[in-house]
Amino acid sequence: MAGETKIRKVAVVGYNRIPFARINTNYTDADNSDMLVAALNGLIERYSLKGQRLGEVAGGAVIKHTRESSLIRDCILKTKLDPATPGVDLQQACATGIEAAVYIANKIALGQIEAGIACGVDSTSNVPIVASEHLRNVLLEASRAKTLGSRIKTFLKLKLKDFKPGVPGIDDTFTGLSMGGHTELTAKYYGISRQDQDELALSSHQRLAKAYDEGFFEDMVTPFKGLAVDNNLRRDTTLEKLAKLKPAFDKVSGTLTAGNSTPLTDGASSVLIASEEWAAAHNLPVLAYITFMETAAIEYIEHKENLLLSPVFAVNRMLKRAGYKLQDFDFYEIHEAFAAQVLTTLKIWESDALSATFGLDALGKIDRNKLNVKGSSLAAAHPFAATGGRIIATMAKLLNQKGSGKGLISVCAAGGQGITMILEK
């Protein structure tokens, strides 16, 4: 490229999502497209984007049907945006929403586009049903057959058991363990107690309930299919109720339960990101700036207890580049995939000995009163690709309400990956 490229500031200027719903509840008859279009149209209406051509919409889903290979572009064509708006699908498990924001932000920073939408959606209620491997092979072989006789001969290879359908699994490809199974190992290895996990879960529910009562989410959530509030929220939960729940993964000596772990969830979210000039031209305030980000990965096949701990590396690297200390932030949003995973991350940051095992210096303690102040995934729940948008929106609004400050975001993801981000006002 000729000349010197000026790096521009990138602003979060809007947000919208639909309420998150536990699997097989309100959204059982909605697919990824239905939910994402609802979230996008809510954003379009809220910020007067009808008929506008944006630079790009980026996002994705972790669980997709084959018909959804161009999910984002297809959804654009179902919304009120100018159909000339491009769309791109991307996916990095639970980090998808943040990665989508980074993708859009980088294009804005380089002057390639002026504004775009980062989004994410997932349905665990409406998943693709797959044929057995043998049935699939027989059907493919039959399709290649040259004669009717050879086709019939191929079909005769089938047995009744071959017609049993399957659903996509979310267990790890290499270890065969679920994320909950891995995190149970994390809790044991790092000494995270059941009571501490339950206390964090209780705090998440209490803070989310208070945020709804205060009206914090009034301009952030579009009702969908009879739901106006995340239906995983338990206003009446107590430590006593949480303590009565049975272990969900290790039935004998486990500490992870349905109460201190996120459930399978349906939902969609979106974030409007723009240059300062575009925001000013559209009379939209800058809620916060995206200033730094970092992705990381960690070995977890041998060290199975470390599956969700790569943000330990990502935060450390990001802070060094930014020149900040961990204590320099006004708010912290750490995705609560499991209470044990959040508590382990905090414990490693605080411990010289534990940090040293990762080849890092300890980052120190944070003020827990600044952590997930409006509740997080344990209460709101976790539609994989949609969580990032929810977290960015919450952080941007918190900073805008305060009028200044810095916020740190940390999201763990399957595959031993993670992503972190800094927003500033």
Side-chain angles (χ1 to χ4, degrees):
M1 294 176 64
E4 183 178 347
T5 301
K6 179 183 178 181
I7 303 300
R8 304 189 300 174
K9 297 177 75 173
V10 179
V12 176
V13 298
Y15 37 62
N16 189 67
R17 68 179 178 94
I18 59 173
F20 293 168
R22 292 174 67 98
I23 185 173
N24 295 330
T25 57
N26 292 63
Y27 303 162
T28 53
D29 60 346
D31 61 16
N32 284 332
S33 179
D34 297 328
M35 293 188 292
L36 185 54
V37 168
L40 290 172
N41 272 335
L43 183 81
I44 292 162
E45 181 177 352
R46 197 182 303 281
Y47 297 100
S48 302
L49 302 177
K50 183 178 180 180
Q52 292 198 37
R53 178 177 62 84
L54 299 182
E56 197 160 13
V57 178
V62 175
I63 303 174
K64 295 172 70 173
H65 291 258
T66 54
R67 65 175 182 268
E68 296 173 332
S69 59
S70 297
L71 175 65
I72 303 304
R73 175 60 180 159
D74 291 347
C75 287
I76 291 170
L77 295 174
K78 295 177 183 179
T79 70
K80 299 174 184 177
L81 284 175
D82 185 332
T85 300
V88 62
D89 282 57
L90 51 80
Q91 194 256 77
Q92 194 184 43
C94 306
T96 298
I98 307 290
E99 278 286 15
V102 171
Y103 176 94
I104 293 295
N106 284 343
K107 286 199 168 187
I108 294 170
L110 293 174
Q112 296 171 350
I113 63 175
E114 293 298 320
I117 297 171
C119 58
V121 61
D122 260 300
S123 171
T124 53
S125 298
N126 192 339
V127 297
I129 301 298
V130 296
S132 69
E133 189 66 16
H134 188 243
L135 174 59
R136 187 184 74 87
N137 290 335
V138 167
L139 291 174
L140 289 173
E141 183 180 347
S143 70
R144 294 188 291 265
K146 302 298 184 181
T147 66
L148 178 61
S150 58
R151 189 172 294 117
I152 292 173
K153 185 178 180 180
T154 300
F155 283 131
L156 289 175
K157 297 178 181 179
L158 291 172
K159 298 180 180 179
L160 186 61
K161 66 179 182 179
D162 294 326
F163 292 92
K164 181 180 179 180
V167 295
I170 57 174
D171 292 347
D172 184 82
T173 303
F174 297 97
T175 68
L177 294 174
S178 66
M179 284 191 281
H182 274 278
T183 309
E184 188 68 75
L185 298 176
T186 303
K188 289 181 171 68
Y189 186 89
Y190 290 98
I192 306 301
S193 72
R194 167 72 181 270
Q195 181 171 341
D196 286 346
Q197 293 176 57
D198 288 349
E199 287 177 354
L200 183 66
L202 177 63
S203 173
S204 189
H205 284 278
Q206 290 175 335
R207 290 180 174 187
L208 186 69
K210 184 178 179 182
Y212 268 110
D213 292 343
E214 292 173 343
F216 183 82
F217 296 111
E218 282 184 3
D219 68 339
M220 304 177 78
V221 179
T222 296
F224 183 61
K225 290 193 172 293
L227 198 60
V229 175
D230 309 303
N231 71 5
N232 187 61
L233 175 60
R234 297 290 180 264
R235 291 178 173 273
D236 61 347
T237 194
T238 63
L239 281 178
E240 290 73 26
K241 290 181 178 180
L242 289 168
K244 292 179 181 178
L245 296 175
K246 295 180 180 179
F249 302 100
D250 178 348
K251 307 293 185 180
V252 178
S253 60
T255 57
L256 273 69
T257 71
N260 56 40
S261 310
T262 51
L264 295 175
T265 315
D266 308 332
S269 67
S270 58
V271 180
L272 180 60
I273 304 171
S275 66
E276 291 179 298
E277 295 79 9
W278 190 93
H282 290 77
N283 297 313
L284 293 175
V286 171
L287 304 175
Y289 293 102
I290 298 174
T291 56
F292 294 91
M293 64 77 57
E294 185 80 29
T295 55
I298 193 170
E299 194 290 314
Y300 69 92
I301 300 171
E302 180 180 354
H303 299 283
K304 296 179 177 60
E305 69 278 0
N306 287 342
L307 175 71
L308 298 181
L309 299 183
S310 66
V312 169
F313 289 112
V315 168
N316 193 286
R317 295 170 191 164
M318 183 174 66
L319 292 178
K320 286 181 178 178
R321 284 197 299 111
Y324 295 148
K325 300 191 301 293
L326 183 62
Q327 294 72 29
D328 289 340
F329 296 88
D330 299 272
F331 303 103
Y332 303 85
E333 285 288 327
I334 302 179
H335 163 46
E336 298 169 343
F338 303 90
Q341 151 259 321
V342 177
L343 293 169
T344 299
T345 300
L346 295 174
K347 188 171 185 177
I348 294 168
W349 285 347
E350 295 170 4
S351 168
D352 290 325
L354 289 177
S355 293
T357 66
F358 294 88
L360 303 171
D361 294 327
L363 297 177
K365 292 185 177 182
I366 67 169
D367 183 347
R368 296 285 187 93
N369 292 320
K370 298 178 180 180
L371 172 64
N372 297 345
V373 298
K374 300 300 180 182
S376 191
S377 306
L378 287 170
H382 175 39
F384 307 121
T387 288
R390 177 190 65 77
I391 288 176
I392 290 175
T394 298
M395 181 63 80
K397 183 166 185 176
L398 285 169
L399 291 171
N400 187 55
Q401 285 184 335
K402 186 177 184 296
S404 64
K406 294 185 285 289
L408 185 147
I409 289 170
S410 172
V411 176
C412 60
Q417 300 193 93
I419 188 165
T420 56
M421 177 180 281
I422 293 174
L423 298 186
E424 301 186 52
K425 176 73 173 180

